[in-house]
Amino acid sequence: MLATTKVYGCIAHPIDHVKAPTLFTSIFNKKKIDAIMIPIHVYPENLENVVNSLKLVRNFHGMTVTIPHKQSISKLCKKLDDDALFTGAVNWIKFDEHRNLIGNNFDGKGFINGFLGQNYILKDKRVCIFGAGGAAVAIAYALTDTNIKSLKIINRNVNKAFHLKEKLTIKHKSLSVDVSNVDNYILDDCDVIINATSLGLRDGDQIPFDVDKTTKNSIIADIIMQPKDTKLLKTAKNLGRSIHYGKYMIESQTDLVGQFLEIW
């Protein structure tokens, strides 16, 4: 590390699940870029103060944003790119020449690229997504550009799910979008089921849905990166379902992030 080293961050709470600092520092090294990424553990109530302080650190150039800060940090941005505008959530920020925040969200495109990169298919598939928060909105938004047959949104807060449906159908009027709550849902009419909630991140979390309700040919995807084998994916694997790991969502964002940060 040199005095000229550019510093990037990964801001989260809790922090022990994040993989981005290891991943991106490794990429910087491989590409011979004089930069590192550090973990930044911040409680929600301190987010604005920390961000304002980071604006003053001239060799700090941006950061990836994860649970629970994605929506809160969007309100601190001077400019939001299209995906961040739609989702109301940000998973990467950088600074302009005046140290104002510019936010973007690559979760949706990252998930799609990662899923297709594992030789799965989305065209004409019936997709179900659990969750209607930051990552779920980003993934749902990206799914509308993949020619899926239909989308089902299942969420604890049904009003939030209906709001997401309304936004999606404005963007893509011909897409069939259904909404269910977590107490009454059907999965045997779905080809791909995605957990886009935070369930599975912490020890003791309940499994987000009943895998027994899925068909044997369905694909079960999780966005949780740590642990790699979540309870959901372990259960799905034991039942003979195809599974998709959460790590691919962030690994497939690297090219997009490099362009956004203008470093490769």
Side-chain angles (χ1 to χ4, degrees):
M1 191 185 308
L2 305 172
T4 55
T5 299
K6 292 182 177 180
V7 180
Y8 295 88
C10 174
I11 191 165
H13 171 68
I15 199 72
D16 54 349
H17 68 284
V18 300
K19 296 294 186 183
T22 301
L23 173 64
F24 279 93
T25 298
S26 175
I27 292 171
F28 294 149
N29 289 335
K30 287 178 182 177
K31 292 181 177 290
K32 301 189 184 307
I33 296 170
D34 183 18
I36 61 168
M37 179 179 282
I38 61 171
I40 304 174
H41 188 186
V42 177
Y43 287 97
E45 61 268 25
N46 297 325
L47 178 65
E48 186 170 0
N49 286 337
V50 170
V51 168
N52 286 334
S53 296
L54 290 171
K55 289 181 180 181
L56 305 176
V57 182
R58 303 302 298 188
N59 64 333
F60 189 85
H61 292 269
M63 60 185 170
T64 183
V65 183
T66 187
I67 294 170
H69 303 306
K70 292 183 179 184
Q71 291 167 318
S72 298
I73 208 165
S74 69
K75 299 177 176 65
L76 305 178
C77 292
K78 183 77 171 179
K79 178 186 175 184
L80 296 174
D81 288 340
D82 288 347
D83 288 56
L85 272 173
F86 182 89
T87 61
V90 163
N91 82 322
W92 269 94
I93 64 107
K94 65 180 179 180
F95 300 97
D96 66 15
E97 64 271 23
H98 303 295
R99 301 297 285 177
N100 294 312
L101 269 64
I102 300 172
N104 209 334
N105 193 319
F106 301 110
D107 280 339
K109 290 175 181 174
F111 178 85
I112 301 301
N113 291 347
F115 191 84
L116 298 178
Q118 295 304 301
N119 297 317
Y120 290 129
I121 296 169
L122 285 167
K123 184 180 179 182
D124 296 325
K125 297 299 182 182
R126 301 165 299 174
V127 180
C128 173
I129 188 164
F130 276 77
V137 177
I139 294 169
Y141 179 68
L143 282 168
T144 62
D145 292 324
T146 62
N147 296 312
I148 58 173
K149 184 175 183 178
S150 63
L151 179 64
K152 182 183 293 187
I153 305 165
I154 301 176
N155 195 51
R156 184 173 48 192
N157 184 332
V158 179
N159 290 334
K160 198 171 182 180
F162 273 112
H163 178 64
L164 175 55
K165 174 184 176 178
E166 183 179 349
K167 290 178 67 176
L168 292 170
T169 50
I170 290 172
K171 177 178 182 283
H172 200 298
K173 293 181 174 59
S174 62
L175 179 64
S176 171
V177 182
D178 291 322
V179 169
S180 298
N181 64 50
V182 294
D183 298 318
N184 183 25
Y185 59 87
I186 297 170
L187 296 179
D188 61 6
D189 59 350
C190 301
D191 303 305
V192 180
I193 303 98
I194 305 163
N195 173 39
T197 75
S198 61
L199 288 174
L201 186 61
R202 298 172 179 83
D203 290 339
D205 278 354
Q206 65 184 45
I207 195 166
F209 57 85
D210 185 355
V211 183
D212 280 318
K213 291 187 175 185
T214 67
T215 64
K216 64 180 181 179
N217 294 321
S218 61
I219 303 166
I220 311 300
D222 208 334
I223 68 165
I224 301 296
M225 286 171 279
Q226 181 66 26
K228 177 185 175 184
D229 285 291
T230 59
K231 290 179 184 177
L232 172 64
L233 295 184
K234 285 180 181 178
T235 303
K237 192 186 297 184
N238 289 338
L239 288 173
R241 308 296 190 262
S242 297
I243 63 171
H244 181 71
Y245 289 110
K247 68 173 186 172
Y248 296 118
M249 186 170 78
I250 187 169
E251 289 178 358
S252 298
Q253 293 182 40
T254 54
D255 287 342
L256 298 170
V257 170
Q259 294 166 21
F260 175 67
L261 297 176
E262 300 175 27
I263 54 176
W264 63 71

